[in-house]
C-alpha cells in the first residue's frame, strides 16, 4: 500500500510492505536543556519491565469512517519507546480520530495498527490497555462520581495484584491531586481534572502513553510541569509517547518527531530538526 | 469609591462566598466591571473562575454576597433564564451544544429574540434570521458544516460553535470561559481579534490560561486565587507579581 | 441552503403525507365497506372489526401524545394512561347520565352502582355531565388541568429524568387506588359500563360505531397535525434543545418549565380525547386503565414504532395492539412469548423502531460499542 | 365447519387473573372432550374456542365480541371478576349470546343472556354467618375485604343482616384493603385486638385473590388460631390453599357450594376424570369448577331439549333444567337465571382440603336482588314469558331498566 | 414436692386399678356421648370425660383434637389410634386387635377443638412438664371455666416454678373476675394479678369487671385499666415502628437488586420482578425436593435455597445481559422495552413450567410463630427477614465499596468507553454486575416466598414499589435505597391506622410526589457538578 506522498522526504521512509521507518532524532539532551530543570523521584518500571524494543507503535495507512463520513485517509505513523511523537493539526482534521483508532475506541475500516509487531486491529480497547496503552482523552473523561483516589485506582485493572499501588511520582507531578484525594472527580475544576486524567493514565504503567491535548485548560505553571513530566518519562526510556497538541511551542519543545494532519491525512512529517517552523505553522494556520 | 463603582458598574460582585460541602470555592470575592469593559480573568486551576461565572449566570447561588447587574438588578434572586434575558450570555468551559440539532439550528436557537413558548410556536420564520445565521457561521468558519448535526463536530469545532452561539445571542455581558483551549495559535489570534471587536460595544469577561492570548486581548487582568482576587492590573503588572508567578505562571 | 417551502408542506413531510393518506384511505374504505357491502361479501369489514380499529386509533392518538413529550422533550411519562383514563371517565360519566331510567333500578338520577350501595344523591362532581358540551369540555379540561398542576409543580422544581418518570407513575398509581375505592363515586373496580346511547343514538348501532371510528381517525389526524405544528416550529426546536441539554437552553434564556408545561398539557389533553373516544367503543371504563403497566405499554408502543417521529408512535400503537388482538385469539396459551420476543427483537434489530426500518439513514449510526454519544454519568438521564 | 358446535372459553390465561381462571379453561376443555366422547350434542361434535382476555377488562368485551361474531360460538363459558362480567354484559345482550358465569359474586344483576352458576350472596355469606353465630357463638364481627364491589356489597348485606340479628354497630369492624395487598401486619394485629374484647369474634373475609396468601401467612405467624378467632372466607378454596402451608390454619373456614372433599360418587368420578385429564394427581378441584360443570351440563341438556343452538330457544329451554351437581344432589336453573345450590361450610384441614362441618339441609335459591339492600329489596327477576324481566319492581309493578328498553324496541 | 406429685399420681393409679371394672362401665357410657354427629353433644361429652377422671381421658381427648378418635356407630364404642396406627379401646386404653371395622371419626370443629383444649388444659394442670402446665394455665385463663377452680387451687399449691405459678394465679384470677359468687376481696386481689399481665386480654377482662362490680372493685379495675392503656399505647407505637421496619425491609429486599441494575448500571430493568420470582420458585423447587426426598431436612430448605436462588437468578441475569442488554448500552431507554419483553417471556415461561396457580412454600420451624417483648409481638418470620435484609444490604455495600470489582463496576457505568480504555474488561464487568443485581433479586425472592404468593405474578407486584424505593432514595445511592425503603415502610405503617390501607397508600404516593418537588433527585441525591450540569 503506497504511503501518502506527504510523508516522503520529511523524516519518513517507506520500507515497503506497508511499513515505514522514521529517522530517529538525536537531540534528546537538547530538549532537556530547553526545559527548566526537574528532579523527579524514582518512577516504578512499567509492566513488562525490560521490553525495550524500538518502534513499538506502527500505524499503517488506516482509514476511519464515522458512518458515511471519512475522518482518516491512509494515515501512517510510528511511535518509538523513549521518544515523543507529536501530531499537529487544526480543528477537525482527525487528530482525535487517529488516537481513538489507536486505543481502539473507533474501528478502522482499512489499514493496520500494531504494537511491537503485535496486531491490535481486532482487540477491544481494554485488551489494548492491557498490552500497555494508556490514554488521556480530550475532554478528560474523568469518572465523575468516583473520588480522585478511585479514579486513579481504576488504572489498576491491567496490573498484577502486587503492582496495584499509586506511584508517589504522580503526586509529585501533580500535588493538587494529593490534596483532593477524597473529592469527587467530577467536582474538580477543568484543569484539575486534566491533571487527574494524566495521573490516571500513568497508574497503569503504560508502554505507550497517548495524550490528546493535555495542556488544554491548564494553568501555565502546570503546563510546564506536564512538559517536564513528559520529558522525564521519555528519558526514562521505557515508554513511547504520542502527543496531540495545538500548543505549538509546547509541542516543539517536546517532540522528537512530528506529523501534521490536514483533512484526515498526514501532510507533513519529520523529525524535530525538520520541524521548520514557518512551514508547519503555515499548515496550522487558517 | 464603592458607590461610584456601584452606580457606574455594569456588573458588580461584592463579598461573594460559595462553599461546596465545606469546600470554599469563592471566598469573599469582589469585582466590578464597567460597561463596555473587557476583563481577562486568570488564575490557577480551581481558583474559582468558572464558579464565579456560575454565580453570575444563576447556576450557583452564593451563600453570601451581592451580585448586581446594571446597578439595580440583584442577580442572586433570578434564575438562569431570567438572567439570560437580561442580556448575559455565556460560553462554557466544556463546550455544550445541542447535539441533535444542526449547526445552523444551534445558532437559530441562540439568536436574539423572544424566548416565550407562544412566540416560538406561532412566530413566523424570518429570512433575516437565516442570513444572520450564515453571517455568524462564516465568522467562525463553520459555514460548510451548516447542516451537520452538532454531535458530529470535533471538539474544537464545538468550541467555535459555542462562540458563534454567543455572538448570535448578542448579550450585553459576555462570559467567555476558556475560548481558545484546543485552538491553534493562528486561531487563537483570530479569537483575540474577534473578542476585541466585540468588546467595543459589549462588556466581556474572558477566562483563559493562554497568556499570549491574554496579552493579545490587551485589557485589564484580574488574577483569582483560592476564591478571591490576588492581583489586578495590566498584564505586565500581574505577570511580574511574585505571588502570581508562584501560584500560577511558574518559573 | 434549503429552499423555503410553504408552511403546510414543511409541516407535513413525506412520511406525514403517507401517514395521513393511508389514514384517510383506510377510514373511508373501512366505513364504506362496512356500511355498503353486504355482510356476506368477502370484502365486508364486520362492525366489530370497525370498533377494534377505532380502538387502535385511540391508542395511536395516545401514542402520538406521548411521543410529543417523550420523543421531543425527553419527558418519559409513565403516567399518560392517567390522562387517557380521565378523559375516558369524563366520557363515561356522560354516557352513564344518558342511561337515565333505563338502569336496572330505574333511578332517573343515580347510576346503578350508587343505588345499590345506598347513595342518596348524586355527588357534586357528577353535576353537569348530563350535558354533552360540558362533558366534552371536561374531557380535555380535567386531564389538562391535572397535567398543568402536576407539571407546574414538577417542572418548576426541575424534576427530570427518572424522577419525573417515577412521580408520573406514582400519580397514576395513586389515581388507580383512588378510583378503585367505591367511596370515590366512580363505580369502584367495576367502573362505568352498560352504556346506552350517545347524543341520543344507540351506541351499539352499526352507524354509531362507524361514526365513532371515523371520529377517532379524525382525532388522530388532528392530533398528529397539532403535534406536528408544535414540533416543526421553533417551539419544537427548543423542545429538542431542552431534551438534549436542558441547562444550556436555560442559559440561552429559555424558560424551560414553560416549554415543558405547554407540551405536557397539550399532550395530556390529547390523551384525554383519545380516552374519551376509546370508552364508547370498548364499552367500559374502569380503574384498570390507570394501571402503571398500561402507561408503560403506551411507552412501548412509541418505542416500537420509533420514538420522536409521531408517525412511528401511531404505527407502533396499531402494530402492537393488532398483534395483541391477533395473538390472544390465535395463540392464547403462548402469545406472551411472541409479544415478548417482538419487543426484544425490535429493540435489538430496529434501534429506531419499525419506522426506522423504512427510513434511510440520514444521520450517522450511533453507539457502535459506545463510540459516540457522551458518557452517561447519571443513569437513564432522559 | 357446520358439523361442529363451537363453544367459547373466555378465561384469562395471562395477567393477574390467570392464577384462578386458567383452571377453568382446563375444566371446560375436559367437559367438552368428555361430551364429545359421549357423542357430542345434537349429533355434532363440540369444538372449544379458547381466547385469552389477559385479565384486561376491555379486552374481555373485545374477545366476547370476537367469539360471538367471528367464531359464532353457541355459548360462552367465562369471566371471573365482576368487572369482566360487567364488561361483556352489553356485548352478550347486544349480540344475543349466552354466557355462563361460574363465580360467586355480589348479585344485583340479572341479564337475559347470562346464566349465573356461581353463588349469590345468600348462597354463601348468610349461611356462613348463621353457622358462626349458632355454632361458635360469635358476637363480634370483622368484615374484612378487598376494596371493590363484591366485598362492599356482601358486607353491606351482611351488615344489614347482622344488625337485624341484634348485633350492635360497635361489634362490627369493617376493613378494606387494596388489591394485591401484601403487608397484613397491622390489620391482623387490629383483628387480634378487636377480638380480645371478651366477646367471641370471627372474621368474615371477602379478601380477593392474591392477597389471601399473605393474609393467611400473617394470621399463622401472629398465631391467630381458629379456636380463638375463626376466619370464614368466600374466596378461598382448594386452589388458593394449594399455595399455602395450611398446618397453622386448621379450623379456619370457608363457605362454598362445593368442596373437593364432598364424599359422593359423582364427585369422586369427577375428580378422577379431572386428574386424569390434567395428568396430575395433585390437581385439586374447587367450587367454580363445579359451577362450570353444572352450567355446561345444563347447557347441553337445554340444547338437546330445544333441539337447536339458537340462543333464544336455548335461553328459554334453560330455565327449569336440572342436572346433578357434585355434592350429591341436583341443581336447577331458576327463572332468575341463578341456580339452586346447597351451602357447605368447611374447615381447613392440614392437608389443604376442607372438612365439611355444616351443610344446609336443602338447596338454596340464588337471590339476585338482595332483600337486605334498600335499592333492590323490591326487585325480582323472572325471565319466563310473559314477565320476562330482570328487574321487576313488585311495588310499582313495573319492569325497570332493560325490560323497559326491550319493551320500547 | 415432685415426689409428692408422683406419689399422688401413683395413688390415683392404684385407686383406679381397684375400682377399674366398675369405672370402666361408667367410662364407657361417658365416652359413648362422643359417638354422635351433633357438635353440641360432643362438646358436652368432652366436659363429662374431663370430669370423669377416667385414666384414658387425656389420651382420648388428645386423640380427638388430632382427629384420631373414632367410633363404631353400631354400639357407640370409642377407639383411638396411636402414632403407630394401632387402635386402643377408649375406655380401657387396651390395644384392640384385630383392628375394629366400620369406624367413623368423631367429628371435629372449632367448637369441639376449643372444648378439647380447655379440658386438656384442666387435665394437664398437674403435668410433670412445666411447659405443659403453663399451656394448661393459659388454656384455663382463656376458658375461664369455674369448674377448674379446685384443680387450680391444688395446682397453685403444688407449683414450684415461679413463672408457671404466676400463670396459674392469673388463670385463677381470671375466673375470680368472671365467675359468679366470688367475694369482693378476692376479686380486688384478682384485679391486681390480672392487671400485671398488662395486655389486651387483661384489659378487656377488666373492662367487663369495671362494668358491673362494686364501686371499690370498679375503681381498682379502672386504675388498672389506665395503667394498662398507658403501657399499651407505648407498646402500640413500638409495634408500629416494628411493622414499619419489617415492611421496609421487605421493600429493601425487593429493591436492592434493582438498585444495582437500575441505580448503578442505569438499565431500566422491568424484568427485575421476574428475577425475584425466579428466586421464589427456586425455593419452591428446593422445598419440593426436600419434601419428597429428605423430609428431615425441611428446616434446611431455606439456607440451601439462598445460594441456589442467587445462582439461578444470577445465571438467568447473566444470560439476559449476554443476549440482550449487552447490545443496548448507550441506549438506556431501550432497555425498558427489551426488559419488558423479557419479563413477559419469563412470566409465561414460569406459567408454562409450574402452572398458573400459587405454589406452596412452607415456613421452616424457626420462621414460624411469634414472641412477645414488653407487649410487642414480633413474628419470627419477619424478624429473620429484617436481619436478612440488613445482612444483604451490608454485604452489597461491602462489595461495591471495598472490592476492585465494585470500583470497576462503578467506573464502567459512569463512563463505559473510558473504563475500557483504562483496561477494565467492560463486557465481563457488565455481565457480572447484572448477574449480581439479578442474583440479589433472586435471594430476595427466597425471603419473599415466606410472606407472599409464589405465583407467576409475584414479580409484578413488587416492580413498581421497587422502582419507587430506588428513585425516592436517590438513583445510584445504595444508602438512599436503604433509608428510603425503611422510611416508606414506617410512613406507610403510621398512615395505615389513621387512613386505612387504601387511603394510606394513596397519601404515601402523594407525599412521595410532593417530596420529589422538594428534593428533585431523591432523598440522598448524588451531588456534584457532573450531576447538576
Ligand atoms: N462521533 C463523530 N461522528 C461523526 N463525525 C465525527 C465524530 N467525531 C468527529 N467527527 C468528525 O471527524 C472529523 C475529525 O474529528 P476529530 O475529532 O478527529 O478532529 P480533531 O483533529 O481532534 O479536532 P480538534 O482539534 O477540534 O479536537 C471532524 O470533521 C469531525 O466533524
Ligand atoms: N459542585 C461542586 N461541588 C464541589 N466542589 C466544586 C463544585 N464546583 C466547583 N467546585 C470546586 O471549586 C473549586 C473552583 O472550581 P472552578 O471550576 O471554579 O475553578 P476554575 O477556576 O474554573 O478552574 P479551571 O481553570 O481549572 O477551570 C474547585 O476546587 C472545584 O473542585
Ligand atoms: Mg480532537
Ligand atoms: Mg474553569
Amino acid at each position: 500500500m503506497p504511503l501518502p506522498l506527504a510523508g516522503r522526504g520529511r523524516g519518513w521512509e517507506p520500507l515497503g510492505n506497508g511499513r515505514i521507518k522514521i529517522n530517529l532524532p538525536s537531540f534528546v539532551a537538547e530538549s532537556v536543556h530547553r526545559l527548566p530543570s526537574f528532579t523527579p523521584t524514582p518512577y516504578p518500571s512499567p509492566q513488562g519491565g525490560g521490553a525495550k524494543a524500538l518502534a513499538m507503535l506502527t500505524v499503517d495507512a488506516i482509514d476511519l469512517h464515522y458512518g458515511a463520513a471519512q475522518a482518516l485517509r491512509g494515515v501512517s505513523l510510528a511511535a518509538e519507546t523513549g521518544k515523543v511523537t507529536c501530531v499537529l493539526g487544526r480543528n477537525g482534521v482527525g487528530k482525535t480520530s487517529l488516537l481513538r483508532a489507536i486505543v481502539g475506541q473507533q474501528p478502522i475500516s482499512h489499514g493496520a495498527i500494531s504494537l511491537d509487531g503485535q496486531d491490535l486491529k481486532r482487540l477491544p480497547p481494554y485488551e489494548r490497555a492491557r498490552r500497555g496503552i494508556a490514554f488521556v482523552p480530550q475532554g478528560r473523561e474523568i469518572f465523575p462520581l468516583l473520588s480522585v483516589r478511585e479514579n486513579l485506582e481504576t488504572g489498576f485493572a491491567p496490573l498484577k495484584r502486587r503492582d496495584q499501588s499509586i506511584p508517589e511520582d504522580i503526586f509529585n507531578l501533580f500535588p493538587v491531586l494529593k490534596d483532593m484525594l477524597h473529592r469527587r472527580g467530577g467536582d474538580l475544576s477543568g484543569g484539575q481534572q486534566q491533571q487527574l486524567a494524566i495521573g490516571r493514565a500513568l497508574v497503569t504503567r503504560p508502554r505507550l502513553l497517548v495524550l490528546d491535548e493535555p495542556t488544554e485548560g491548564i494553568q501555565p505553571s502546570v503546563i510546564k510541569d506536564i512538559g517536564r513530566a513528559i520529558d522525564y518519562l521519555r528519558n526514562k526510556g521505557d515508554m513511547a509517547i504520542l502527543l496531540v497538541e495545538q500548543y505549538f511551542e509546547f509541542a516543539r519543545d517536546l517532540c522528537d518527531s512530528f506529523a501534521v494532519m490536514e483533512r484526515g491525512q498526514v501532510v507533513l512529517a519529520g523529525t524535530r530538526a525538520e520541524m521548520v517552523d514557518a512551514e508547519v505553522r503555515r499548515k496550522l494556520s487558517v | 469609591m464603592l458607590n461610584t463603582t456601584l452606580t457606574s458598574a455594569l456588573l458588580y460582585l461584592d463579598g461573594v462566598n460559595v462553599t461546596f460541602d465545606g469546600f470554599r470555592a469563592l471566598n469573599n470575592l469582589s469585582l466590578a466591571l464597567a460597561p463596555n469593559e473587557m476583563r481577562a480573568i486568570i488564575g490557577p486551576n480551581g481558583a474559582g473562575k468558572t464558579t464565579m461565572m456560575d454565580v453570575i449566570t444563576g447556576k450557583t447561588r452564593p451563600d453570601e454576597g451581592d451580585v448586581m447587574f446594571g446597578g439595580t438588578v440583584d442577580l442572586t434572586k433570578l434564575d438562569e433564564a431570567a438572567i439570560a434575558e437580561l442580556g448575559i450570555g455565556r460560553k462554557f468551559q466544556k463546550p455544550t451544544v445541542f447535539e441533535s440539532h444542526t449547526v445552523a439550528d444551534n445558532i437559530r436557537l441562540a439568536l436574539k429574540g423572544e424566548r416565550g413558548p407562544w412566540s416560538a410556536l406561532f412566530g413566523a420564520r424570518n429570512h433575516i434570521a437565516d442570513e444572520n445565521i450564515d453571517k455568524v457561521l462564516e465568522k467562525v468558519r463553520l459555514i460548510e458544516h451548516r447542516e451537520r448535526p452538532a454531535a458530529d463536530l470535533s471538539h474544537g469545532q464545538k468550541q467555535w460553535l459555542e462562540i458563534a452561539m454567543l455572538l448570535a445571542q448578542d448579550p450585553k455581558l459576555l462570559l467567555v470561559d476558556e475560548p481558545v483551549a484546543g485552538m491553534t495559535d493562528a486561531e487563537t489570534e483570530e479569537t483575540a481579534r474577534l473578542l476585541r471587536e466585540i468588546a467595543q460595544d459589549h462588556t466581556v469577561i474572558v477566562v483563559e490560561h493562554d497568556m499570549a492570548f491574554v496579552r493579545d486581548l490587551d485589557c485589564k487582568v484580574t488574577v483569582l486565587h483560592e476564591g478571591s482576587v490576588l492581583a489586578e492590573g495590566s498584564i505586565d503588572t500581574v505577570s511580574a507579581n511574585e505571588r502570581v508567578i508562584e501560584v500560577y505562571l511558574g518559573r | 441552503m434549503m429552499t423555503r417551502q410553504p408552511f403546510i408542506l414543511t409541516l407535513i413531510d413525506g412520511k406525514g403525507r403517507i401517514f395521513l393518506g393511508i389514514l384517510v384511505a383506510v377510514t373511508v374504505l373501512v366505513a364504506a365497506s362496512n356500511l355498503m357491502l353486504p355482510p356476506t361479501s368477502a370484502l365486508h369489514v364486520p362492525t366489530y372489526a370497525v370498533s377494534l380499529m377505532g380502538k387502535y386509533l385511540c391508542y395511536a392518538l395516545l401514542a402520538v401524545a406521548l411521543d410529543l413529550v417523550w420523543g421531543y422533550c425527553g419527558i418519559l411519562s409513565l403516567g399518560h394512561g392517567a390522562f387517557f383514563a380521565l378523559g375516558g371517565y369524563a366520557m363515561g360519566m356522560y354516557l352513564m347520565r344518558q342511561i337515565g331510567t333505563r338502569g336496572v333500578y330505574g333511578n332517573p338520577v343515580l347510576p346503578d352502582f350508587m343505588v345499590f350501595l345506598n347513595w342518596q344523591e348524586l355527588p357534586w362532581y357528577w353535576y353537569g355531565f348530563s350535558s354533552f358540551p360540558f362533558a366534552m369540555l371536561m374531557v380535555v379540561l380535567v386531564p389538562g388541568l391535572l397535567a398543568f398542576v402536576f407539571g407546574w409543580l414538577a417542572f418548576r422544581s426541575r424534576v427530570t429524568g427518572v424522577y419525573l418518570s417515577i412521580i408520573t407513575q406514582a400519580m397514576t398509581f395513586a389515581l388507580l387506588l383512588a378510583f378503585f375505592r367505591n367511596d370515590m363515586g366512580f363505580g369502584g373496580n367495576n367502573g362505568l359500563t352498560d352504556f346506552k346511547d350517545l347524543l341520543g343514538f344507540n351506541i351499539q348501532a352499526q352507524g354509531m360505531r362507524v361514526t365513532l371510528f371515523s371520529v377517532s381517525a379524525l382525532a388522530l389526524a388532528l392530533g398528529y397535525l397539532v403535534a406536528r405544528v408544535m414540533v416543526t416550529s421553533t417551539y419544537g426546536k427548543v423542545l429538542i434543545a431542552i431534551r438534549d441539554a436542558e441547562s444550556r437552553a436555560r442559559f440561552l434564556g429559555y424558560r424551560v418549565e414553560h416549554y415543558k408545561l405547554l407540551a405536557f398539557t397539550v399532550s395530556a389533553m390529547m390523551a384525554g380525547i383519545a380516552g374519551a373516544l376509546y370508552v364508547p367503543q370498548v364499552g367500559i371504563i374502569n380503574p384498570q386503565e390507570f394501571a402503571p403497566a398500561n402507561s408503560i405499554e403506551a411507552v412501548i408502543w412509541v418505542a416500537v414504532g420509533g420514538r420522536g417521529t409521531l408517525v412511528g408512535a401511531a404505527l407502533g400503537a396499531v402494530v402492537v395492539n393488532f398483534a395483541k388482538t391477533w395473538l390472544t385469539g390465535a395463540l392464547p396459551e403462548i402469545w406472551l412469548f411472541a409479544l415478548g420476543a417482538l419487543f426484544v427483537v425490535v429493540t435489538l434489530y430496529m434501534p429506531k423502531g419499525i419506522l426506522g426500518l423504512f427510513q434511510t439513514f440520514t444521520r450517522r449510526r450511533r453507539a457502535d460499542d459506545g463510540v459516540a454519544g457522551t458518557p452517561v454519568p447519571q443513569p437513564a438521564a432522559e | 365447519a357446520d358439523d361442529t358446535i363451537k363453544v367459547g372459553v373466555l378465561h384469562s390465561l395471562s395477567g393477574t387473573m390467570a392464577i384462578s381462571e386458567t383452571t377453568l379453561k382446563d375444566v371446560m376443555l375436559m367437559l367438552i372432550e368428555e361430551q364429545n366422547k359421549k357423542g357430542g350434542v345434537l349429533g355434532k361434535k363440540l369444538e372449544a374456542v379458547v381466547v385469552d382476555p389477559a385479565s384486561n377488562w376491555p379486552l374481555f368485551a373485545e374477545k366476547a365480541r370476537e367469539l360471538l361474531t367471528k367464531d359464532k360460538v353457541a355459548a360462552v363459558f367465562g369471566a371471573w371478576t365482576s368487572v369482566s362480567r360487567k364488561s361483556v354484559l352489553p356485548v352478550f345482550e347486544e349480540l344475543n349470546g349466552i354466557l355462563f358465569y361460574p363465580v360467586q359474586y355480589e348479585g344485583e344483576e340479572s341479564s337475559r343472556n347470562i346464566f349465573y352458576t356461581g353463588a349469590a350472596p345468600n348462597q354463601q355469606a348468610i349461611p356462613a354467618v348463621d353457622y358462626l353465630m349458632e355454632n361458635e357463638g360469635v358476637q363480634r364481627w370483622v368484615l374484612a375485604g378487598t376494596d371493590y364491589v363484591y366485598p362492599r356489597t356482601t358486607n353491606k348485606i351482611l351488615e344489614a343482616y347482622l344488625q337485624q340479628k341484634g348485633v350492635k354497630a360497635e361489634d362490627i369492624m369493617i376493613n378494606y384493603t387494596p388489591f394485591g395487598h401484601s403487608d397484613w401486619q397491622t390489620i391482623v394485629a387490629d383483628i387480634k385486638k378487636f377480638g380480645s374484647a371478651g366477646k367471641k369474634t370471627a372474621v368474615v373475609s371477602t379478601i380477593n385473590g392474591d392477597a389471601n396468601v399473605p393474609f393467611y401467612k400473617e394470621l399463622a405467624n401472629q398465631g391467630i388460631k381458629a379456636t380463638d378467632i375463626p376466619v370464614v372466607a368466600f374466596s378461598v378454596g382448594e386452589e388458593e390453599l394449594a399455595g399455602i402451608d395450611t398446618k397453622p390454619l386448621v379450623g379456619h373456614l370457608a363457605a362454598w357450594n362445593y368442596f373437593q372433599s364432598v364424599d359422593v360418587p359423582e364427585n369422586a368420578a369427577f375428580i378422577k376424570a379431572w386428574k386424569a385429564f390434567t395428568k396430575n394427581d395433585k390437581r385439586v378441584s374447587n367450587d367454580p369448577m363445579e359451577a362450570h360443570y353444572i352450567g355446561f351440563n345444563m347447557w347441553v341438556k337445554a340444547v338437546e331439549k330445544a333441539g337447536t343452538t339458537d340462543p333464544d330457544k336455548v335461553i328459554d329451554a334453560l330455565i327449569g333444567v336440572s342436572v346433578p351437581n357434585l355434592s350429591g344432589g341436583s341443581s336447577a336453573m331458576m327463572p332468575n337465571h341463578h341456580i339452586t345450590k346447597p351451602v357447605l361450610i368447611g374447615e381447613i384441614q392440614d392437608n389443604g382440603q376442607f372438612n365439611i362441618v355444616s351443610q344446609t339441609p336443602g338447596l338454596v335459591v340464588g337471590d339476585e336482588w338482595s332483600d337486605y339492600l334498600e335499592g333492590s329489596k323490591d326487585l325480582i327477576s323472572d325471565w319466563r314469558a310473559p314477565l320476562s324481566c330482570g328487574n321487576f319492581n313488585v311495588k310499582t309493578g313495573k319492569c325497570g331498566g332493560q325490560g323497559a328498553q326491550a319493551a320500547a324496541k | 414436692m415432685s415426689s409428692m406429685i408422683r406419689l399422688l399420681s401413683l395413688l390415683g393409679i392404684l385407686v383406679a386399678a381397684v375400682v377399674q371394672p366398675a369405672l370402666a362401665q361408667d367410662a364407657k357410657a361417658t365416652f359413648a356421648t362422643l359417638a354422635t354427629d351433633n357438635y353440641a353433644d360432643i362438646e358436652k361429652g368432652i366436659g363429662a370425660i374431663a370430669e370423669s377422671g377416667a385414666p384414658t381421658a387425656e389420651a382420648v381427648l388428645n386423640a380427638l383434637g388430632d382427629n384420631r378418635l373414632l367410633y363404631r356407630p353400631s354400639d357407640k364404642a370409642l377407639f383411638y389410634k396411636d402414632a403407630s396406627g394401632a387402635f386402643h379401646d377408649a375406655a380401657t386404653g387396651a390395644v384392640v386387635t384385630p383392628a375394629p371395622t366400620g369406624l367413623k371419626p368423631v367429628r371435629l370443629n372449632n367448637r369441639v377443638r376449643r372444648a378439647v383444649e380447655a379440658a386438656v388444659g384442666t387435665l394437664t394442670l398437674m403435668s410433670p412438664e412445666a411447659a405443659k402446665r403453663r399451656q394448661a394455665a393459659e388454656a384455663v385463663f382463656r376458658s375461664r371455666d369455674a369448674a377448674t377452680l379446685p384443680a387450680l387451687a391444688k395446682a397453685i399449691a403444688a407449683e414450684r416454678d415461679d413463672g408457671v405459678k404466676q400463670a396459674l394465679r392469673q388463670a385463677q384470677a381470671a375466673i375470680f373476675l368472671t365467675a359468679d359468687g366470688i367475694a369482693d376481696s378476692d376479686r380486688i386481689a384478682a384485679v391486681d394479678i390480672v392487671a400485671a399481665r398488662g395486655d389486651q386480654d387483661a384489659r378487656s377482662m377488666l373492662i367487663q369487671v369495671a362494668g358491673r362490680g362494686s364501686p371499690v372493685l370498679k375503681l381498682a379495675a379502672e386504675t388498672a385499666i389506665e395503667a394498662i392503656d398507658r403501657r399499651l399505647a407505648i407498646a402500640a407505637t413500638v409495634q408500629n415502628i416494628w411493622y414499619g421496619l419489617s415492611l421496609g425491609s421487605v421493600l429493601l429486599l425487593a429493591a436492592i437488586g434493582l438498585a444495582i441494575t437500575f441505580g448503578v448500571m442505569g438499565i431500566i430493568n422491568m424484568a427485575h420482578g421476574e428475577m425475584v420470582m425466579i428466586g421464589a420458585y427456586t425455593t419452591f423447587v428446593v422445598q419440593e425436593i426436600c419434601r419428597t426426598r429428605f423430609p428431615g431436612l425441611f428446616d434446611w430448605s431455606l439456607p440451601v435455597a439462598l445460594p441456589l436462588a442467587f445462582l439461578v437468578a444470577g445465571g438467568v441475569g447473566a444470560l439476559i445481559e449476554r443476549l440482550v442488554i449487552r447490545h443496548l448500552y448507550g441506549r438506556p431507554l431501550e432497555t425498558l422495552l427489551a426488559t419488558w419483553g423479557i419479563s413477559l417471556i419469563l412470566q409465561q415461561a414460569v406459567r408454562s413450567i409450574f402452572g398458573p396457580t400459587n405454589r406452596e412454600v412452607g415456613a421452616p420451624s424457626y420462621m414460624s410463630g411469634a414472641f412477645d417483648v414488653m407487649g410487642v409481638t414480633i413474628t419470627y418470620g419477619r424478624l429473620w427477614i429484617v436481619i436478612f435484609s440488613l445482612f444483604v444490604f451490608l454485604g452489597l455495600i461491602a462489595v461495591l465499596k471495598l472490592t476492585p470489582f465494585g470500583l470497576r463496576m462503578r467506573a464502567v457505568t459512569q463512563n463505559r468507553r473510558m473504563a475500557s480504555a483504562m483496561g477494565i474488561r467492560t463486557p465481563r464487568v457488565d455481565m457480572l454486575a447484572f448477574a449480581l443485581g439479578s442474583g440479589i433479586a433472586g435471594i430476595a425472592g427466597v425471603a419473599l416466598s415466606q410472606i407472599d404468593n409464589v405465583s407467576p405474578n409475584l414479580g409484578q407486584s413488587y416492580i413498581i414499589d421497587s422502582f419507587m424505593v430506588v428513585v425516592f432514595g436517590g438513583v445510584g445511592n445504595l444508602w438512599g435505597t436503604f433509608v428510603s425503603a425503611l422510611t416508606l415502610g414506617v410512613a406507610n405503617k403510621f398512615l395505615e391506622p389513621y387512613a386505612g390501607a387504601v387511603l394510606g397508600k394513596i397519601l404515601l404516593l402523594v407525599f412521595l410526589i410532593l417530596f420529589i418537588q422538594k428534593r428533585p433527585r431523591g432523598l440522598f441525591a448524588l451531588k456534584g457538578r457532573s450531576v447538576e450540569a
Side-chain angles (χ1 to χ4, degrees), chain A:
Chain A
M1 178 162 320
L3 278 168
L5 273 177
R8 236 164 252 174
R10 299 188 188 279
W12 301 86
E13 266 176 45
L15 291 180
N17 197 18
R19 303 182 128 259
I20 54 165
K21 175 173 174 254
I22 292 192
N23 301 327
L24 296 185
S26 56
F27 35 78
V28 175
E30 189 192 347
S31 76
V32 175
H33 277 207
R34 284 166 156 271
L35 287 159
S37 66
F38 168 69
T39 1
T41 49
Y43 186 77
S45 70
Q47 193 192 26
K52 291 270 190 286
L54 296 180
M56 53 178 317
L57 174 79
T58 45
V59 172
D60 188 4
I62 58 168
D63 288 351
L64 184 145
H65 294 264
Y66 292 108
Q70 185 164 9
L72 295 181
R73 303 158 201 275
V75 173
S76 297
L77 191 76
E80 283 173 49
T81 305
K83 300 281 178 319
V84 176
T85 310
C86 290
V87 178
L88 308 170
R90 295 205 318 266
N91 291 144
V93 296
K95 305 181 294 295
T96 301
S97 306
L98 172 61
L99 298 196
R100 283 196 187 140
I102 292 169
V103 302
Q105 287 185 346
Q106 188 73 24
I108 53 175
S109 34
H110 215 271
I113 301 175
S114 63
L115 189 69
D116 286 340
Q118 209 181 2
D119 185 19
L120 296 181
K121 194 173 167 185
R122 272 176 236 308
L123 296 182
Y126 52 89
E127 284 302 339
R128 300 190 196 193
R130 282 166 186 268
R131 281 167 177 61
I133 299 181
F135 185 35
V136 179
Q138 192 166 27
R140 295 119 197 185
E141 313 227 351
I142 295 302
F143 302 108
L145 298 174
L146 300 187
S147 69
V148 169
R149 171 185 286 283
E150 287 171 329
N151 263 287
L152 293 171
E153 285 175 354
T154 55
F156 290 169
L159 300 182
K160 295 207 182 67
R161 193 165 279 275
R162 66 183 141 80
D163 293 333
Q164 293 187 349
S165 62
I166 301 170
E168 248 334 278
D169 254 34
I170 290 170
F171 299 121
N172 290 337
L173 284 174
F174 308 118
V176 67
L177 295 184
K178 186 139 207 167
D179 304 334
M180 308 234 146
L181 267 183
H182 298 289
R183 316 223 3 231
R184 270 183 295 265
D187 291 351
L188 301 191
S189 80
Q192 292 165 339
Q193 288 190 359
Q194 187 68 54
Q195 302 177 30
L196 175 57
I198 299 173
R200 184 177 62 179
L202 292 179
V203 170
T204 62
R205 275 71 150 184
R207 296 195 298 142
L208 171 66
L209 180 62
V210 180
L211 302 132
D212 198 350
E213 308 203 18
T215 62
E216 192 183 308
I218 293 204
Q219 70 185 75
S221 63
V222 179
I223 293 184
K224 288 176 189 162
D225 290 345
I226 293 175
R228 276 172 231 156
I230 293 175
D231 189 44
Y232 164 66
L233 293 170
R234 179 225 339 252
N235 289 345
K236 279 200 66 190
D238 49 17
M239 90 176 56
I241 296 169
L242 184 61
L243 175 67
V244 163
E245 191 47 71
Q246 302 265 26
Y247 183 13
F248 186 74
E249 262 97 84
F250 181 81
R252 189 194 52 204
D253 288 351
L254 277 174
C255 62
D256 300 306
S257 61
F258 72 95
V260 178
M261 292 181 66
E262 220 167 61
R263 292 180 177 273
Q265 284 173 310
V266 174
V267 291
L268 210 59
T271 60
R272 217 193 100 77
E274 289 164 316
M275 211 162 150
V276 193
D277 285 16
E279 165 119 45
V280 176
R281 273 182 187 269
R282 196 169 49 75
K283 292 274 181 218
L284 296 183
S285 59
V286 188

